Amino acid sequence: MAHFPKPSEGSWTEHFEIDTEPVSYADSISPEFYEQERDAIFRRTWLNVGRVEQLPRKGSYFTRELDAAGASVIVVRGTDGEVRAFHNVCRHRGNKLVWDDYPREETKGTCRAFTCKYHAWRYDLEGKLAFVQQESEFFGIDKSEYGLLAVQAEVWEGFVFVNLDPENTTPLREYLGRFAHGIEGYPFHKLTQVHKYRAEIGSNWKLFIDAFAEFYHAPILHSGQYTAGEAAKIKKYGYEALSYDIDGPHSMVSSWGGIAPPKEKAMVKPIERALRSGLFGPWDAPDIGMSTEELPPAINPTRSKVWGMDTFVFFPNFMLLIWRPNWVLTYHYWPTSYNTHIFEGTCYFVPPQNAFQRLQQELAAVSFKEYGLQDGNTLEATQTMLESRTVDAFPLCDQEVLLRHLHSTAQSYVRRHQQRRSETPATAS
Amino acid sequence: MANVFPAEFAELEPFADWAIHGERARYAKRISSTMEELQAFYDVAFPLLEKGTSYLEKVSLDGIGDEDKHLLWAFCSLVTIAFPVEAWGQPRVPDSGPASIDAVVEPAV
């Protein structure tokens, strides 16, 4: 039985003109395809690397290891207050410029200048080479030619993005498109209480996005999280989204969610009743300066009264979840090989005023982790069986439309990139 | 010997080793405990949480004292172990096998 209306075509998938044939998942088990994705996607699109709150003052910096792009970047707030990004490479002999103890681990801090550990070449916060040890030993070196290599960096609603393609000319806001425009004005800057989790996952990066871009699995995989009676009811009901939408490479799903607070308290576990909180967040929504009805237009786009949360998938690897009780969750998927990636999940809450509110948020964050643990291991099981190539045609249902869109988007990025390269005449090198 | 927790929560004193800072450390204690140990802590702590709501709502996080901080952390541990006790019937998340998700940024208190 349909609970929510679908487009006139009869399905979301046909509405978005995506084919309805079984998919092969060949794009998730091939080392060769992954190498093409690195070049076509991760070296060429805007990637979210953090929030402005991680750069609270002049000289604040953090590094990000972008394995899929074969790069490490330094993101720093300059003396003029601007956020910039640089390749983390010393221009003298190529040493990694900023790192502590373990060269492959990310770091953060505050400084007035970046000094290389090797020969003390020093760069200011704007990337200019400021000091060369024993400069007179060099051969007429012009310091202005040896600044750090800049990476394009832009900020959208407090989210810091970088783009490693020096030829990229699409501004961030234009790239993020219609959904980002429609989210602008949401008070992200008020949600500064952060719980961040990290996991090494044994699957292709797209498979974890798949897991979080559909909720068809939720009544089954996560049934143990509900009370027994509630689990049976939810399973029978199944899952239908309020709506789906697609804008270029990006997509979103808008979901109902009656569990914060639940209609009946018997639906939830004792700890949730005691703390008035759970996976959907603390039931007592904090004041963020706007009511649910006043949220920017891309959030709860159907203006449904039973709206619970929206999931935005900003291609390639940034997901933004906005929950009705005024909190936000982000997901990032950083590939490390064709069948491994690092997953990051970050909860953002309004800072709690008292110990009870702090516990309500703890329960929401920990619930996310418990769900994520189930998802994470399922993915490794999926990856190994896809790699067995026993089966190569998988039917996806209409509630899995965003998965079809993600995989076809990745494939078209790779295809277009190959076309561009084949059209460019080869040059002698 | 000085109290670890505020006087109103004296029943928690035998479980002072659950007043742990950080979800990562709390989770590590959860998965190295038996279900009997988790249940014993839950049986004492859960009724105190239900009774303690109005107390906790008066505890401001700004300048929180040591006893209240310990109480908050013990209840954070209760949140962590509520899943095995109320849902899983085992310390680990079912079917999570070798998967792990680690806290890398957490609130100061």
Side-chain angles (χ1 to χ4, degrees):
Chain A
M1 192 189 89
H3 302 286
F4 303 116
K6 289 195 178 191
S8 58
E9 293 86 348
S11 74
W12 295 102
T13 310
E14 289 158 298
H15 174 68
F16 295 121
E17 296 179 356
I18 302 173
D19 80 72
T20 54
E21 293 301 303
V23 302
S24 80
Y25 277 107
D27 65 8
S28 302
I29 55 173
S30 154
E32 295 76 26
F33 189 78
Y34 172 62
E35 285 306 316
Q36 291 166 345
E37 284 182 327
R38 297 177 73 178
D39 202 23
I41 299 170
F42 288 92
R43 292 193 185 101
R44 273 161 229 284
T45 53
W46 287 102
L47 304 171
N48 175 238
V49 290
R51 289 273 315 162
V52 288
E53 289 82 5
Q54 293 167 257
L55 304 169
R57 61 191 75 86
K58 291 168 186 173
S60 297
Y61 66 87
F62 60 81
T63 64
R64 288 306 309 242
E65 298 302 304
L66 304 174
D67 197 280
S72 169
V73 295
I74 309 166
V75 182
V76 60
R77 189 179 292 281
T79 48
D80 56 359
E82 288 294 307
V83 174
R84 293 184 181 80
F86 303 101
H87 281 282
N88 193 2
V89 183
C90 179
R91 292 295 304 275
H92 171 222
R93 291 257 299 276
N95 189 25
K96 184 175 267 195
L97 182 60
V98 180
W99 54 282
D100 297 322
D101 295 334
Y102 299 95
R104 294 182 70 88
E105 287 187 5
E106 293 171 347
T107 185
K108 62 182 177 177
T110 305
C111 67
R112 289 189 192 173
F114 300 111
T115 305
C116 185
K117 297 173 195 286
Y118 208 169
H119 306 92
W121 279 39
R122 192 165 71 231
Y123 304 86
D124 70 16
L125 301 178
E126 283 72 44
K128 283 204 284 293
L129 177 58
F131 172 78
V132 172
Q133 170 79 0
Q134 290 177 259
E135 189 174 340
S136 61
E137 291 285 337
F138 285 85
F139 304 94
I141 194 167
D142 177 355
K143 291 211 285 293
S144 71
E145 288 180 9
Y146 291 94
L148 295 177
L149 292 186
V151 174
Q152 294 191 70
E154 288 185 31
V155 178
W156 170 76
E157 297 295 280
F159 291 97
V160 181
F161 288 74
V162 299
N163 190 316
L164 291 159
D165 180 2
E167 288 165 24
N168 168 65
T169 54
T170 309
L172 172 64
R173 193 163 173 266
E174 187 183 324
Y175 173 73
L176 294 177
R178 179 159 56 83
F179 301 142
H181 284 234
I183 292 170
E184 282 168 14
Y186 186 88
F188 293 106
H189 62 282
K190 292 186 178 175
L191 282 62
T192 53
Q193 178 87 346
V194 178
H195 297 241
K196 180 173 177 179
Y197 295 88
R198 181 183 188 277
E200 291 175 17
I201 303 287
S203 86
N204 184 269
W205 61 284
K206 297 186 293 299
L207 294 187
F208 209 168
I209 300 183
D210 285 358
F212 280 140
E214 58 91 356
F215 300 99
Y216 171 58
H217 75 278
I220 310 304
L221 179 66
H222 304 306
S223 63
Q225 298 233 12
Y226 305 103
T227 57
E230 195 54 27
K233 238 189 296 176
I234 291 172
K235 196 168 163 181
K236 199 171 162 196
Y237 195 88
Y239 175 81
E240 285 177 35
L242 291 172
S243 69
Y244 294 94
D245 202 357
I246 283 171
D247 177 42
H250 317 299
S251 62
M252 72 88 65
V253 48
S254 187
S255 277
W256 59 273
I259 207 152
K263 264 193 235 132
E264 297 160 39
K265 287 199 170 178
M267 289 167 66
V268 299
K269 297 194 292 289
I271 191 75
E272 298 173 54
R273 285 201 291 276
L275 285 174
R276 304 179 48 76
S277 179
L279 179 71
F280 286 63
W283 304 346
D284 312 302
D287 180 15
I288 55 166
M290 59 178 71
S291 67
T292 302
E293 293 70 32
E294 292 166 340
L295 290 171
I299 304 167
N300 185 14
T302 63
R303 294 294 165 200
S304 167
K305 286 197 167 53
V306 297
W307 174 71
M309 56 92 78
D310 285 345
T311 300
F312 296 91
V313 186
F314 288 106
F315 190 79
N317 68 336
F318 172 45
M319 276 172 73
L320 175 60
L321 285 72
I322 300 178
W323 301 76
R324 183 175 191 133
N326 296 340
W327 68 289
V328 162
L329 181 56
T330 63
Y331 300 144
H332 294 84
Y333 313 82
W334 300 105
T336 46
S337 77
Y338 78 100
N339 62 3
T340 56
H341 71 277
I342 290 165
F343 167 74
E344 295 173 331
T346 314
C347 309
Y348 294 91
F349 300 105
V350 171
Q353 297 298 305
N354 59 56
F356 190 74
Q357 290 177 353
R358 170 70 182 79
L359 286 166
Q360 291 182 302
Q361 295 178 359
E362 182 77 10
L363 179 57
V366 165
S367 300
F368 147 71
K369 174 181 163 173
E370 300 280 316
Y371 275 73
L373 272 168
Q374 288 188 305
D375 289 310
N377 213 41
T378 304
L379 293 170
E380 195 167 325
T382 307
Q383 182 75 34
T384 51
M385 288 305 95
L386 291 179
E387 284 183 27
S388 77
R389 296 180 188 263
T390 313
V391 179
D392 65 359
F394 300 93
L396 296 183
C397 76
D398 201 31
Q399 301 297 332
E400 294 168 309
V401 58
L402 301 194
L403 284 56
R404 288 185 189 272
H405 177 252
L406 171 70
H407 288 262
S408 64
T409 300
Q411 288 164 29
S412 73
Y413 264 71
V414 165
R415 205 165 43 237
R416 270 181 303 173
H417 184 61
Q418 284 175 327
Q419 275 164 5
R420 273 197 303 272
R421 292 183 67 158
S422 64
E423 284 160 13
T424 310
T427 51
S429 57
Chain B
M1 206 177 127
N3 285 350
V4 171
F5 301 111
E8 295 90 323
F9 298 89
E11 288 168 73
L12 271 180
E13 294 293 340
F15 300 96
D17 58 341
W18 283 101
I20 306 164
H21 183 223
E23 193 273 337
R24 205 167 171 149
R26 292 190 282 267
Y27 193 80
K29 185 165 169 65
R30 159 177 150 180
I31 59 171
S32 62
S33 298
T34 63
M35 277 312 290
E36 289 71 28
E37 288 164 338
L38 299 183
Q39 189 74 50
F41 172 50
Y42 181 92
D43 288 345
V44 171
F46 188 79
L48 290 172
L49 174 67
E50 285 187 302
K51 272 191 287 187
T53 301
S54 58
Y55 179 94
L56 291 163
E57 284 174 340
K58 289 189 201 96
V59 174
S60 166
L61 293 182
D62 279 340
I64 187 171
D66 280 349
E67 290 178 2
D68 285 333
K69 202 185 279 181
H70 297 151
L71 184 67
L72 173 59
W73 292 347
F75 282 139
C76 281
S77 288
L78 175 65
V79 168
T80 297
I81 65 114
F83 288 89
V85 172
E86 295 180 356
W88 308 140
Q90 59 181 53
R92 294 188 71 95
V93 179
D95 299 333
S96 68
S100 72
I101 297 183
D102 298 320
V104 290
V105 177
E106 290 195 75
V109 177

